[in-house]
Amino acid sequence: MSTLEVNTISPISGSSDVTLGGSSKNIKFASGTTVDFNTNTPTVSGLSAASAPNTPYWSARGSGLQTINHATDSQAILDSEIVDSDSAFASNTFTVPSGKAGKYFIWFQADLYDADSDITNFTLSIKINGTIKSRVYTDFGSGSVPSHAGNSIYCIEDLSVGDAVTYYAYMSTNNASTAQLYGSEYGTMGGGFRIA
């Protein structure tokens, strides 16, 4: 291996490009090297969405009203995808694809609706492989109870290939009746992304 020591590499007269490396070759930086773009913002071409650092990313919402039972932990039906960079979100579940383990930011929001205005409390949860990793509880006590109740939760988790992310809602009403997750108008949604 030989060493090239220079201060500046510029394209030759009449050319606009300098090419480093070749097919199936990597350009590597020695440990401790910093890349200084000065005040210029570089343009990077040739990267697909699936190879970008913050992938996978996904977001999906409920497309309508999902009925949930009193005092029952119910998985949110997010049947309308908004974005899904790696096609890793299906059946209301995000599954970490091969080669995409890492730290993830995950979020969930829900709008709970009851036409009878009988909601007394509700809980939102983010689960990884069925285990709760984030939860928020809202209690309306014995006072006035609403017809709509909304909240949101977030978490950062280390995920391995094959880990499954799901979203859940639990609610109680005064008369032990059903309520609905309001998916219309983007009321109930979930998503996340791998942190670069």
Side-chain angles (χ1 to χ4, degrees):
M1 181 175 65
S2 58
T3 301
L4 173 66
E5 295 183 348
V6 296
N7 289 323
T8 304
I9 299 176
S10 297
I12 62 173
S13 178
S15 176
S16 60
D17 297 323
V18 173
T19 300
L20 301 175
S23 178
S24 300
K25 303 296 182 182
N26 295 320
I27 303 298
K28 296 183 178 181
F29 294 95
S31 177
T33 300
T34 59
V35 178
D36 183 5
F37 293 110
N38 297 314
T39 58
N40 299 316
T41 301
T43 299
V44 180
S45 62
L47 288 178
S48 67
S51 65
N54 283 112
T55 58
Y57 55 78
W58 74 98
S59 178
R61 68 181 182 90
S63 61
L65 295 173
Q66 175 190 347
T67 298
I68 59 175
N69 293 321
H70 167 79
T72 302
D73 201 25
S74 303
Q75 184 175 356
I77 296 175
L78 305 178
D79 54 356
S80 181
E81 284 189 3
I82 299 169
V83 293
D84 185 8
S85 66
D86 288 48
S87 299
F89 187 86
S91 301
N92 312 305
T93 303
F94 171 78
T95 304
V96 179
S98 177
K100 299 299 176 72
K103 294 186 185 300
Y104 280 75
F105 178 85
I106 307 164
W107 60 273
F108 178 42
Q109 71 176 43
D111 180 3
L112 188 64
Y113 171 68
D114 180 22
D116 297 327
S117 297
D118 281 321
I119 301 169
T120 55
N121 61 69
F122 78 105
T123 302
L124 301 183
S125 302
I126 293 172
K127 297 184 181 183
I128 311 296
N129 300 326
T131 299
I132 293 173
K133 295 296 182 177
S134 183
R135 168 184 276 177
V136 63
Y137 174 72
T138 304
D139 189 351
F140 298 102
S142 58
S144 175
V145 291
S147 60
H148 277 272
N151 216 330
S152 57
I153 53 175
Y154 318 87
C155 64
I156 294 176
E157 290 291 329
D158 281 308
L159 299 184
S160 301
V161 172
D163 282 349
V165 178
T166 49
Y167 307 93
Y168 279 78
Y170 175 100
M171 69 85 201
S172 295
T173 60
N174 272 333
N175 58 359
S177 63
T178 61
Q180 295 172 310
L181 285 177
Y182 200 80
S184 303
E185 300 175 358
Y186 298 85
T188 299
M189 305 172 61
F193 59 88
R194 186 174 62 160
I195 300 171

mmCIF file of all heavy atoms in Angstrom, residues 154-184:
data_model
loop_
_atom_site.group_PDB
_atom_site.id
_atom_site.type_symbol
_atom_site.label_atom_id
_atom_site.label_comp_id
_atom_site.label_asym_id
_atom_site.label_seq_id
_atom_site.Cartn_x
_atom_site.Cartn_y
_atom_site.Cartn_z
ATOM 1 N N TYR A 154 -43.744 8.814 23.821
ATOM 2 C CA TYR A 154 -42.513 8.663 23.056
ATOM 3 C C TYR A 154 -41.536 7.828 23.855
ATOM 4 O O TYR A 154 -41.602 7.772 25.080
ATOM 5 C CB TYR A 154 -41.873 10.031 22.776
ATOM 6 C CG TYR A 154 -42.846 11.098 22.384
ATOM 7 C CD1 TYR A 154 -43.499 11.872 23.355
ATOM 8 C CD2 TYR A 154 -43.133 11.335 21.039
ATOM 9 C CE1 TYR A 154 -44.414 12.852 22.987
ATOM 10 C CE2 TYR A 154 -44.043 12.307 20.665
ATOM 11 C CZ TYR A 154 -44.678 13.061 21.647
ATOM 12 O OH TYR A 154 -45.582 14.020 21.280
ATOM 13 N N CYS A 155 -40.575 7.216 23.168
ATOM 14 C CA CYS A 155 -39.489 6.536 23.858
ATOM 15 C C CYS A 155 -38.327 6.329 22.901
ATOM 16 O O CYS A 155 -38.486 6.400 21.681
ATOM 17 C CB CYS A 155 -39.931 5.202 24.464
ATOM 18 S SG CYS A 155 -40.448 3.950 23.274
ATOM 19 N N ILE A 156 -37.154 6.104 23.469
ATOM 20 C CA ILE A 156 -35.971 5.716 22.711
ATOM 21 C C ILE A 156 -35.552 4.351 23.223
ATOM 22 O O ILE A 156 -35.375 4.161 24.430
ATOM 23 C CB ILE A 156 -34.833 6.732 22.869
ATOM 24 C CG1 ILE A 156 -35.226 8.069 22.243
ATOM 25 C CG2 ILE A 156 -33.541 6.201 22.231
ATOM 26 C CD1 ILE A 156 -34.191 9.162 22.432
ATOM 27 N N GLU A 157 -35.417 3.392 22.300
ATOM 28 C CA GLU A 157 -35.128 2.013 22.688
ATOM 29 C C GLU A 157 -34.051 1.412 21.793
ATOM 30 O O GLU A 157 -33.964 1.732 20.602
ATOM 31 C CB GLU A 157 -36.387 1.144 22.580
ATOM 32 C CG GLU A 157 -37.448 1.440 23.615
ATOM 33 C CD GLU A 157 -37.042 1.030 25.019
ATOM 34 O OE1 GLU A 157 -36.287 0.041 25.164
ATOM 35 O OE2 GLU A 157 -37.468 1.700 25.959
ATOM 36 N N ASP A 158 -33.227 0.533 22.383
ATOM 37 C CA ASP A 158 -32.305 -0.288 21.603
ATOM 38 C C ASP A 158 -33.085 -1.468 21.032
ATOM 39 O O ASP A 158 -33.633 -2.270 21.792
ATOM 40 C CB ASP A 158 -31.162 -0.803 22.481
ATOM 41 C CG ASP A 158 -30.094 0.244 22.714
ATOM 42 O OD1 ASP A 158 -29.609 0.827 21.722
ATOM 43 O OD2 ASP A 158 -29.746 0.495 23.877
ATOM 44 N N LEU A 159 -33.137 -1.572 19.723
ATOM 45 C CA LEU A 159 -33.887 -2.647 19.078
ATOM 46 C C LEU A 159 -32.945 -3.561 18.303
ATOM 47 O O LEU A 159 -31.983 -3.097 17.690
ATOM 48 C CB LEU A 159 -34.940 -2.076 18.128
ATOM 49 C CG LEU A 159 -36.019 -1.178 18.738
ATOM 50 C CD1 LEU A 159 -37.039 -0.784 17.676
ATOM 51 C CD2 LEU A 159 -36.704 -1.857 19.912
ATOM 52 N N SER A 160 -33.250 -4.840 18.343
ATOM 53 C CA SER A 160 -32.506 -5.848 17.593
ATOM 54 C C SER A 160 -33.317 -6.290 16.383
ATOM 55 O O SER A 160 -34.537 -6.072 16.311
ATOM 56 C CB SER A 160 -32.207 -7.059 18.481
ATOM 57 O OG SER A 160 -31.451 -6.684 19.620
ATOM 58 N N VAL A 161 -32.646 -6.908 15.424
ATOM 59 C CA VAL A 161 -33.335 -7.432 14.241
ATOM 60 C C VAL A 161 -34.440 -8.393 14.680
ATOM 61 O O VAL A 161 -34.224 -9.266 15.525
ATOM 62 C CB VAL A 161 -32.337 -8.156 13.315
ATOM 63 C CG1 VAL A 161 -33.065 -8.863 12.187
ATOM 64 C CG2 VAL A 161 -31.321 -7.171 12.757
ATOM 65 N N GLY A 162 -35.630 -8.201 14.143
ATOM 66 C CA GLY A 162 -36.767 -9.050 14.473
ATOM 67 C C GLY A 162 -37.634 -8.533 15.601
ATOM 68 O O GLY A 162 -38.739 -9.048 15.825
ATOM 69 N N ASP A 163 -37.162 -7.518 16.347
ATOM 70 C CA ASP A 163 -37.996 -6.942 17.413
ATOM 71 C C ASP A 163 -39.250 -6.313 16.810
ATOM 72 O O ASP A 163 -39.206 -5.702 15.736
ATOM 73 C CB ASP A 163 -37.222 -5.882 18.203
ATOM 74 C CG ASP A 163 -36.258 -6.481 19.207
ATOM 75 O OD1 ASP A 163 -36.335 -7.701 19.452
ATOM 76 O OD2 ASP A 163 -35.433 -5.725 19.754
ATOM 77 N N ALA A 164 -40.378 -6.456 17.524
ATOM 78 C CA ALA A 164 -41.665 -5.982 17.021
ATOM 79 C C ALA A 164 -42.182 -4.841 17.883
ATOM 80 O O ALA A 164 -42.260 -4.957 19.108
ATOM 81 C CB ALA A 164 -42.680 -7.126 17.006
ATOM 82 N N VAL A 165 -42.551 -3.728 17.239
ATOM 83 C CA VAL A 165 -43.096 -2.544 17.905
ATOM 84 C C VAL A 165 -44.597 -2.494 17.651
ATOM 85 O O VAL A 165 -45.040 -2.548 16.493
ATOM 86 C CB VAL A 165 -42.440 -1.256 17.371
ATOM 87 C CG1 VAL A 165 -43.060 -0.025 18.043
ATOM 88 C CG2 VAL A 165 -40.931 -1.290 17.583
ATOM 89 N N THR A 166 -45.374 -2.391 18.732
ATOM 90 C CA THR A 166 -46.831 -2.298 18.614
ATOM 91 C C THR A 166 -47.346 -1.186 19.515
ATOM 92 O O THR A 166 -46.667 -0.737 20.438
ATOM 93 C CB THR A 166 -47.506 -3.632 18.989
ATOM 94 O OG1 THR A 166 -46.982 -4.091 20.236
ATOM 95 C CG2 THR A 166 -47.262 -4.682 17.917
ATOM 96 N N TYR A 167 -48.585 -0.775 19.267
ATOM 97 C CA TYR A 167 -49.206 0.356 19.964
ATOM 98 C C TYR A 167 -50.543 -0.086 20.570
ATOM 99 O O TYR A 167 -51.337 -0.745 19.892
ATOM 100 C CB TYR A 167 -49.434 1.502 18.984
ATOM 101 C CG TYR A 167 -48.187 1.915 18.223
ATOM 102 C CD1 TYR A 167 -47.904 1.368 16.970
ATOM 103 C CD2 TYR A 167 -47.295 2.831 18.756
ATOM 104 C CE1 TYR A 167 -46.766 1.734 16.274
ATOM 105 C CE2 TYR A 167 -46.155 3.211 18.067
ATOM 106 C CZ TYR A 167 -45.898 2.659 16.826
ATOM 107 O OH TYR A 167 -44.767 3.021 16.133
ATOM 108 N N TYR A 168 -50.778 0.314 21.831
ATOM 109 C CA TYR A 168 -51.974 -0.156 22.536
ATOM 110 C C TYR A 168 -52.701 0.988 23.241
ATOM 111 O O TYR A 168 -52.087 1.980 23.656
ATOM 112 C CB TYR A 168 -51.599 -1.217 23.579
ATOM 113 C CG TYR A 168 -51.408 -2.594 22.983
ATOM 114 C CD1 TYR A 168 -50.251 -2.924 22.301
ATOM 115 C CD2 TYR A 168 -52.405 -3.561 23.081
ATOM 116 C CE1 TYR A 168 -50.079 -4.180 21.737
ATOM 117 C CE2 TYR A 168 -52.244 -4.824 22.529
ATOM 118 C CZ TYR A 168 -51.075 -5.119 21.857
ATOM 119 O OH TYR A 168 -50.923 -6.360 21.301
ATOM 120 N N ALA A 169 -54.005 0.808 23.386
ATOM 121 C CA ALA A 169 -54.847 1.739 24.130
ATOM 122 C C ALA A 169 -55.759 0.956 25.073
ATOM 123 O O ALA A 169 -56.266 -0.116 24.723
ATOM 124 C CB ALA A 169 -55.689 2.575 23.170
ATOM 125 N N TYR A 170 -55.951 1.501 26.266
ATOM 126 C CA TYR A 170 -56.816 0.909 27.296
ATOM 127 C C TYR A 170 -57.698 2.037 27.808
ATOM 128 O O TYR A 170 -57.224 3.163 28.027
ATOM 129 C CB TYR A 170 -55.953 0.346 28.420
ATOM 130 C CG TYR A 170 -56.706 -0.205 29.615
ATOM 131 C CD1 TYR A 170 -56.901 -1.562 29.761
ATOM 132 C CD2 TYR A 170 -57.195 0.650 30.609
ATOM 133 C CE1 TYR A 170 -57.573 -2.078 30.859
ATOM 134 C CE2 TYR A 170 -57.876 0.147 31.705
ATOM 135 C CZ TYR A 170 -58.063 -1.210 31.832
ATOM 136 O OH TYR A 170 -58.734 -1.708 32.919
ATOM 137 N N MET A 171 -58.987 1.758 28.011
ATOM 138 C CA MET A 171 -59.877 2.811 28.513
ATOM 139 C C MET A 171 -60.962 2.233 29.409
ATOM 140 O O MET A 171 -61.281 1.037 29.359
ATOM 141 C CB MET A 171 -60.477 3.604 27.351
ATOM 142 C CG MET A 171 -61.463 2.854 26.495
ATOM 143 S SD MET A 171 -63.143 2.898 27.162
ATOM 144 C CE MET A 171 -63.872 1.468 26.340
ATOM 145 N N SER A 172 -61.514 3.103 30.233
ATOM 146 C CA SER A 172 -62.679 2.761 31.063
ATOM 147 C C SER A 172 -63.743 3.829 30.876
ATOM 148 O O SER A 172 -63.433 5.005 30.654
ATOM 149 C CB SER A 172 -62.289 2.677 32.540
ATOM 150 O OG SER A 172 -61.386 1.622 32.764
ATOM 151 N N THR A 173 -65.014 3.398 30.980
ATOM 152 C CA THR A 173 -66.119 4.339 30.906
ATOM 153 C C THR A 173 -67.014 4.181 32.132
ATOM 154 O O THR A 173 -66.978 3.154 32.820
ATOM 155 C CB THR A 173 -66.972 4.106 29.637
ATOM 156 O OG1 THR A 173 -67.502 2.774 29.675
ATOM 157 C CG2 THR A 173 -66.147 4.283 28.378
ATOM 158 N N ASN A 174 -67.827 5.175 32.391
ATOM 159 C CA ASN A 174 -68.747 5.138 33.529
ATOM 160 C C ASN A 174 -69.729 3.986 33.444
ATOM 161 O O ASN A 174 -70.114 3.391 34.456
ATOM 162 C CB ASN A 174 -69.540 6.448 33.601
ATOM 163 C CG ASN A 174 -68.820 7.511 34.408
ATOM 164 O OD1 ASN A 174 -68.038 7.195 35.297
ATOM 165 N ND2 ASN A 174 -69.065 8.770 34.069
ATOM 166 N N ASN A 175 -70.167 3.665 32.240
ATOM 167 C CA ASN A 175 -71.202 2.645 32.070
ATOM 168 C C ASN A 175 -70.663 1.334 31.484
ATOM 169 O O ASN A 175 -71.428 0.520 30.977
ATOM 170 C CB ASN A 175 -72.332 3.182 31.181
ATOM 171 C CG ASN A 175 -71.837 3.615 29.810
ATOM 172 O OD1 ASN A 175 -70.639 3.538 29.531
ATOM 173 N ND2 ASN A 175 -72.747 4.074 28.965
ATOM 174 N N ALA A 176 -69.340 1.142 31.558
ATOM 175 C CA ALA A 176 -68.698 -0.091 31.072
ATOM 176 C C ALA A 176 -69.013 -0.383 29.605
ATOM 177 O O ALA A 176 -69.111 -1.540 29.202
ATOM 178 C CB ALA A 176 -69.092 -1.283 31.945
ATOM 179 N N SER A 177 -69.178 0.668 28.821
ATOM 180 C CA SER A 177 -69.511 0.501 27.405
ATOM 181 C C SER A 177 -68.249 0.628 26.549
ATOM 182 O O SER A 177 -67.146 0.823 27.053
ATOM 183 C CB SER A 177 -70.538 1.546 26.981
ATOM 184 O OG SER A 177 -69.983 2.852 27.126
ATOM 185 N N THR A 178 -68.418 0.531 25.252
ATOM 186 C CA THR A 178 -67.289 0.662 24.335
ATOM 187 C C THR A 178 -66.979 2.144 24.074
ATOM 188 O O THR A 178 -67.796 3.029 24.337
ATOM 189 C CB THR A 178 -67.593 -0.020 22.992
ATOM 190 O OG1 THR A 178 -68.737 0.607 22.398
ATOM 191 C CG2 THR A 178 -67.860 -1.500 23.191
ATOM 192 N N ALA A 179 -65.785 2.374 23.550
ATOM 193 C CA ALA A 179 -65.397 3.688 23.034
ATOM 194 C C ALA A 179 -64.672 3.426 21.721
ATOM 195 O O ALA A 179 -64.594 2.278 21.257
ATOM 196 C CB ALA A 179 -64.526 4.437 24.022
ATOM 197 N N GLN A 180 -64.171 4.483 21.100
ATOM 198 C CA GLN A 180 -63.542 4.311 19.796
ATOM 199 C C GLN A 180 -62.243 5.105 19.696
ATOM 200 O O GLN A 180 -62.155 6.239 20.188
ATOM 201 C CB GLN A 180 -64.499 4.768 18.688
ATOM 202 C CG GLN A 180 -65.750 3.897 18.593
ATOM 203 C CD GLN A 180 -66.770 4.473 17.640
ATOM 204 O OE1 GLN A 180 -67.111 5.643 17.714
ATOM 205 N NE2 GLN A 180 -67.278 3.642 16.737
ATOM 206 N N LEU A 181 -61.251 4.475 19.084
ATOM 207 C CA LEU A 181 -60.049 5.208 18.690
ATOM 208 C C LEU A 181 -60.379 5.942 17.401
ATOM 209 O O LEU A 181 -60.795 5.333 16.414
ATOM 210 C CB LEU A 181 -58.870 4.257 18.473
ATOM 211 C CG LEU A 181 -58.224 3.691 19.735
ATOM 212 C CD1 LEU A 181 -57.114 2.712 19.364
ATOM 213 C CD2 LEU A 181 -57.671 4.794 20.614
ATOM 214 N N TYR A 182 -60.203 7.231 17.436
ATOM 215 C CA TYR A 182 -60.606 8.088 16.327
ATOM 216 C C TYR A 182 -59.445 8.204 15.345
ATOM 217 O O TYR A 182 -58.487 8.936 15.556
ATOM 218 C CB TYR A 182 -60.994 9.459 16.879
ATOM 219 C CG TYR A 182 -61.854 10.298 15.971
ATOM 220 C CD1 TYR A 182 -63.227 10.067 15.904
ATOM 221 C CD2 TYR A 182 -61.313 11.325 15.205
ATOM 222 C CE1 TYR A 182 -64.035 10.845 15.083
ATOM 223 C CE2 TYR A 182 -62.114 12.101 14.394
ATOM 224 C CZ TYR A 182 -63.477 11.858 14.328
ATOM 225 O OH TYR A 182 -64.279 12.625 13.518
ATOM 226 N N GLY A 183 -59.508 7.419 14.268
ATOM 227 C CA GLY A 183 -58.440 7.429 13.289
ATOM 228 C C GLY A 183 -58.603 8.499 12.230
ATOM 229 O O GLY A 183 -57.627 8.937 11.628
ATOM 230 N N SER A 184 -59.832 8.934 12.007
ATOM 231 C CA SER A 184 -60.075 9.964 11.006
ATOM 232 C C SER A 184 -59.352 11.259 11.377
ATOM 233 O O SER A 184 -59.081 11.521 12.546
ATOM 234 C CB SER A 184 -61.580 10.225 10.873
ATOM 235 O OG SER A 184 -62.265 9.038 10.544
#
